[in-house]
Amino acid sequence: LHDLATVSEARRNANLGRFFGYRIPCIIVSRGQKVPKYFLDRATAIKVPIFVSPLMTATIASQITIFIEEETAPESSLHGTLLDVFGIGTLLIGKSGIGKSECALELVERGHQLVADDLVEIKLLAGKVLMGYSNDLIHHHMEIRGLGIINIRSMFGAGAVRNQKRISMVVTLEKWSKRAEYDRLGLEDRTYPILGIDLPHLIIPVRPGRNIPILIEVAALGQRAKQMGEHPAQEFNRRLIASMAETEAAGEEGGA
């Protein structure tokens, strides 16, 4: 706008003619600059809206880029419950009635945060980050069989909920089966694909007497340790193999 004011009227009209010859969805004027009447008249004539912002041009461009990326990102939805457990976005999935919401309710009571229950909206940001959100209709609400719909924010306060969270781990709750083989050492790194991204995946069998919320807390802490480069199960396995090797070597020396 400043440059247009420094040129002759003929040249200014020619420049404006070329500028407004493009298909322009809108015009954003930065730094709170006043829009000249000749510019406003041209925009009004072809029905191009003009917005004035107090922000710097670079800041506006950055925020628009982020907005467009989020609005056009690949998205999906899953039936499950998403929580922030010790800073780890934990997605609970499993068959209906397995106890996902009841488990989530106890985790909230223990100080963790609910993001979404029943239906989790997921977007893939920057091609690698899976961000989970709540459906607008059931925002901060949870369905508990026998109690009905409860408002977590009203009951536990604003600190018990959050609007979004990056998903870092998937936990499947399933009914305990004697025929199934479950990972007892934690050496097997399962993954669960969502929108082309493989997430760490744990399967926790559910049966009477098991404290599932505590197990999920431990799983979240274990995932934090892995993100920091620690893998307790693999470290234990290395120590066990080293100990067996030392015992075998000592036996061979004794036999000699």
Side-chain angles (χ1 to χ4, degrees):
L1 294 179
H2 175 73
D3 292 339
L4 287 174
T6 61
V7 300
S8 65
E9 183 177 354
R11 185 173 180 184
R12 182 175 64 203
N13 290 334
N15 290 339
L16 288 175
R18 287 194 296 270
F19 177 75
F20 284 105
Y22 296 101
R23 296 181 61 185
I24 303 173
C26 71
I27 297 172
I28 302 176
V29 180
S30 63
R31 297 183 293 175
Q33 298 178 79
K34 184 178 180 181
V35 181
K37 186 177 183 304
Y38 60 81
F39 192 92
L40 185 61
D41 290 342
R42 284 286 190 118
T44 303
I46 59 174
K47 299 181 179 179
V48 174
I50 297 179
F51 301 93
V52 179
S53 171
L55 300 177
M56 300 293 288
T57 303
T59 304
I60 295 174
S62 176
Q63 293 189 357
I64 290 175
T65 300
I66 294 173
F67 173 79
I68 293 175
E69 180 184 358
E70 291 183 352
E71 291 301 310
T72 60
E75 56 185 343
S76 182
S77 59
L78 284 176
H79 286 286
T81 302
L82 178 61
L83 301 111
D84 181 342
V85 182
F86 294 128
I88 298 296
T90 305
L91 177 61
L92 305 181
I93 60 175
K95 292 183 178 180
S96 179
I98 195 64
K100 299 184 294 295
S101 295
E102 289 82 354
C103 177
L105 182 60
E106 184 166 343
L107 286 168
V108 169
E109 197 275 333
R110 293 169 68 91
H112 305 291
Q113 295 176 304
L114 174 72
V115 181
D117 182 57
D118 188 46
L119 186 64
V120 182
E121 305 287 350
I122 304 172
K123 286 189 176 183
L124 177 62
L125 304 179
K128 60 181 180 179
V129 176
L130 290 171
M131 193 67 69
Y133 309 81
S134 173
N135 182 282
D136 291 338
L137 292 176
I138 55 177
H139 202 49
H140 299 161
H141 289 75
M142 181 181 289
E143 178 189 356
I144 303 294
R145 285 177 172 80
L147 296 179
I149 304 296
I150 60 175
N151 188 322
I152 296 299
R153 180 172 180 173
S154 296
M155 295 181 67
F156 295 93
V161 297
R162 60 181 305 160
N163 294 330
Q164 62 182 35
K165 179 64 181 177
R166 178 177 182 175
I167 304 174
S168 300
M169 176 176 66
V170 179
V171 177
T172 296
L173 302 181
E174 69 175 30
K175 188 176 181 180
W176 180 287
S177 174
K178 293 182 179 180
R179 301 176 182 177
E181 293 186 6
Y182 300 105
D183 188 5
R184 298 174 63 93
L185 299 179
L187 294 174
E188 183 180 353
D189 290 331
R190 296 187 180 93
T191 59
Y192 190 95
I194 299 178
L195 293 174
I197 303 297
D198 291 330
L199 294 173
H201 181 210
L202 297 177
I203 299 176
I204 297 181
V206 177
R207 69 174 181 179
R210 301 201 88 198
N211 193 323
I212 305 303
I214 287 182
L215 297 182
I216 291 174
E217 286 183 328
V218 173
L221 290 173
Q223 182 60 29
R224 284 185 61 179
K226 291 178 182 179
Q227 291 178 352
M228 293 186 290
E230 301 176 10
H231 198 306
Q234 291 182 357
E235 178 61 26
F236 174 78
N237 192 48
R238 284 194 293 268
R239 290 171 56 190
L240 182 61
I241 292 175
S243 176
M244 293 172 61
E246 290 177 2
T247 302
E248 183 177 352
E252 292 177 354
E253 291 178 1

